[in-house]
Amino acid sequence: ESVLTQSPGTLSLSPGDTATLSCRASQSVNTNYFAWYQQKPGQAPRLLIYGVSSRATGIPDRFSGSGSGTDFTLTIRRLEPEDFAVYYCQRYSGSVWTFGQGTKVEN
Amino acid sequence: QVHLVQSGAEMRKPGASVKLSCKASGYTFLGYNMHWVRQAPGQGPEWMGWINLNSGGTKYAQKFEGRVTMTTDTSINTVYMELKSLKSDDTAVYFCAREGSGDYDSSFDYWGQGTLVAVSS
């Protein structure tokens, strides 16, 4: 079973900083099937990035995704107050969807 | 505008079953697959399975095989998820999530608001 490991667990930053979040897959990922989500307390996850690097509708360009194979990165430039949240990576492979355990970006 | 509206919170005793609903609006219901994802307190999301709304075909995560059933009533644009033989560690918020199409394929572009299921004796 494929596992996604996110690091760090918590990232302590200030508004205006750049956040770099990592997600490592135990098996190589088809780059069409990798996504990132943002979740705030009491809310459902929100799709940020799909297909590794494409921003979902309405997502500002300070969010960017990159990577291939087993290593993927979500970068958030110029952190805004509303960006402090938990971020999850997700992959699809072999009819199974898998999520990482999350990285909390805190102020 | 796409909306996925889920049924309200449920409390069950261990061994019981629960059936949750997710009503979709604002898009062509049959054009997208629907998934169920749960999230235990303080944990990451966990994929449970999906249903093809055209065929009614389903695929469940191995962990839930034999305990979960996903169905749909296309006349009212609603998807259901029933989980049986509940245990305390089934306590979680359960989400329905629409799988995107085209370039969004395999990602979840819209989510319901979530339904809390609490399992306790």
Side-chain angles (χ1 to χ4, degrees), chain B residues 56-116:
Chain B
T58 54
K59 167 72 176 180
Y60 305 132
Q62 189 172 11
K63 174 178 180 177
F64 300 102
E65 282 278 8
R67 281 211 303 146
V68 69
T69 304
M70 297 176 189
T71 56
T72 183
D73 184 341
T74 57
S75 69
I76 55 172
N77 288 4
T78 298
V79 176
Y80 302 92
M81 190 281 295
E82 182 176 24
L83 189 62
K84 303 174 183 176
S85 303
L86 289 167
K87 301 168 283 189
S88 58
D89 61 4
D90 289 319
T91 294
V93 176
Y94 289 74
F95 296 98
C96 58
R98 190 184 83 165
E99 182 184 345
S101 65
D103 289 343
Y104 283 78
D105 188 24
S106 88
S107 64
F108 304 130
D109 59 356
Y110 287 93
W111 296 64
Q113 83 276 18
T115 296
L116 174 63

Side-chain angles (χ1 to χ4, degrees), chain A residues 1 6 13 17 21-22 25 29 31-32 35 39-41 44 47 50-51 58 63 73-75 80 101:
Chain A
E1 180 182 318
Q6 293 187 239
L13 296 168
D17 288 346
L21 287 66
S22 173
V29 176
T31 56
N32 286 337
Q39 188 176 34
K40 297 180 180 179
L47 179 65
Y50 64 93
F63 290 89
T73 300
L74 175 69
T75 302
E80 297 282 346
Q101 84 281 11

